Amino acid sequence: MSERVIPLIDQRLRSLTARVPAQAIPATGLLGDTLGRPLRDLRISVTDRCNFRCSYCMPKEIFDKDYAYLPHSALLSFEEITRVARVFVAHGVQKIRLTGGEPLLRKNIEILIEQLAALRTTEGRPLDITLTTNGSLLERKAASLKAAGLQRVTVSLDGLDDAIFRAMNDVDFPVADVLRGIDAAQAAGLGPIKVNMVVKRGTNDQQILPMARHFKGSGIVLRFIEYMDVGATNGWRMDDVLPSAEVVQRIHAELPLVQLDPSAPGETAERWGYADGSGEIGVISSVTQAFCGDCNRARLSTEGQLYLCLFATHGHDLRHLIRGTETDEELGSAIGAIWQGRDDRYSQLRASLPPDQTTGGRRVEMSYIGG
Ligand code: SAM
């Protein structure tokens, strides 16, 4: 019998100290990295805690009652998050996604949303503000999130079969409660709603068609995500990945699809529409079809570390600048210098990397920097 080896790692183990460069980098909204990629999308993790224990993300064996989550004093406050978000926006960010952990576990998240909703892009437009959630608290919170200024939500849901879903979230959480959360989000006007399903071959791939049938015609965009080799604790194997091309084939065989144009540059999902005009699905092929070429996303961890790639092995510590005496301009120059030095494109390089660098190593956990 082969044993699964789960490395004991501390995801916060490596960080670089962000520094204010000697030469100021003004916020022109036109920042580019070494590959010419702009900075447009900021994902902010507001907590490293989650009430689910999905084995592909926060396996129980590691994230148990003894796991050392970040202390409250380490978390950026809402004011600190808003300040750093404002600096990112001046550099060209147009979209902010709140994530985690489970973002709805962060107390009074509505207050943060209100503060972020008051920011304006360099062209003077409101930001696109969204949030990714497991849906468990959505029924209770949808109306207050909308009132605070949240525009839309993405809900993670890995199947409709209750037994499969309860096993995947590993806390016995029922599907029906997530579906009620999605209904509440729709009723509150938090749309267009996206539902993300991580597909793991042999675990929930039989749920692809039931999910497609369920959401077809609902106005909700269902997106299938390839199971990724993020972090170092999920025991990822290529054999568990069901390529998106196969997802499309399986759906197309019963519900004909036509390919659609991308709706925005840097979009992670390839879009497919139902041929009968009853909506669309998306596939996110981060393993089989890398989309690093136009990746315009930065990620800010709960404690103020900036990550330039989902597969990064280290972050850049901004918190000491945020809590120091640096001005917004200095903080902006430090962020600008980090982005200008960015050359990350892990998914494109994956196939050519030696195995010890692709199978986990010291990569940051998804629950720490968010999806
Ligand atoms: N708790 C929130 C949620 O459930 O959506 C936000 C955080 S969660 C880390 C964000 C997304 O990452 C979820 O859709 C989750 O399914 C996805 N995810 C986590 N680990 C993954 C992996 N190894 N491969 C693909 N997607 C993953």
Side-chain angles (χ1 to χ4, degrees), residues 56-57 99-102 132-134 156 198 227-228 230 234 366:
Y56 58 76
C57 187
T99 177
E102 172 46 44
T132 303
T133 173
N134 62 25
S156 304
V198 175
Y227 171 43
M228 291 184 282
V230 280
N234 62 11
M366 186 89 139

Side-chain angles (χ1 to χ4, degrees), residues 244-297:
S244 294
E246 203 177 320
V247 172
V248 171
Q249 258 170 22
R250 286 194 198 181
I251 297 175
H252 180 67
E254 180 182 314
L255 309 165
L257 294 167
V258 288
Q259 192 159 6
L260 304 176
D261 291 333
S263 53
E267 193 177 45
T268 50
E270 186 181 281
R271 300 169 61 216
W272 292 82
Y274 289 111
D276 64 6
S278 61
E280 68 178 82
I281 61 156
V283 289
I284 302 180
S285 321
S286 24
V287 178
T288 61
Q289 255 188 307
F291 39 76
C292 309
D294 54 5
C295 177
N296 54 20
R297 284 174 289 286

Side-chain angles (χ1 to χ4, degrees), residues 107-244:
K107 215 169 150 202
N108 299 324
I109 184 84
E110 294 86 349
I111 295 175
L112 174 63
I113 292 170
E114 268 173 30
Q115 294 177 6
L116 296 174
L119 301 179
R120 291 293 173 266
T121 67
T122 48
E123 295 93 30
R125 286 197 299 269
L127 295 171
D128 180 10
I129 302 178
T130 180
L131 174 148
T132 303
T133 173
N134 62 25
S136 57
L137 299 169
L138 199 50
E139 187 181 16
R140 217 181 303 164
K141 291 217 157 224
S144 61
L145 292 170
K146 177 72 185 177
L150 189 70
Q151 285 149 5
R152 51 201 181 84
V153 285
T154 297
V155 182
S156 304
L157 178 62
D158 294 335
L160 281 180
D161 179 280
D162 201 44
I164 292 175
F165 182 65
R166 284 177 191 256
M168 282 189 83
N169 64 54
D170 214 7
V171 291
D172 210 27
F173 197 87
V175 169
D177 289 18
V178 178
L179 293 177
R180 275 205 301 276
I182 294 172
D183 288 346
Q186 244 180 337
L190 284 170
I193 296 174
K194 291 177 185 157
V195 169
N196 280 352
M197 169 177 173
V198 175
V199 181
K200 229 182 139 181
R201 191 194 287 278
T203 301
N204 66 338
D205 61 310
Q206 71 281 50
Q207 290 297 295
I208 293 170
L209 271 162
M211 287 281 281
R213 289 183 204 118
H214 182 85
F215 289 108
K216 183 173 183 284
S218 67
I220 289 172
V221 179
L222 174 61
R223 306 186 319 163
F224 299 91
I225 306 180
E226 286 178 351
Y227 171 43
M228 291 184 282
D229 48 337
V230 280
T233 58
N234 62 11
W236 182 88
R237 295 177 321 134
M238 188 67 199
D239 290 352
D240 295 331
V241 178
L242 187 94
S244 294

Side-chain angles (χ1 to χ4, degrees), residues 33 35-38 266 290-296 342 344-345 348:
D33 70 5
L35 302 172
R37 297 170 296 188
F291 39 76
C292 309
D294 54 5
C295 177
N296 54 20
R342 176 184 189 242
D344 303 62
R345 52 188 189 105
Q348 280 178 346

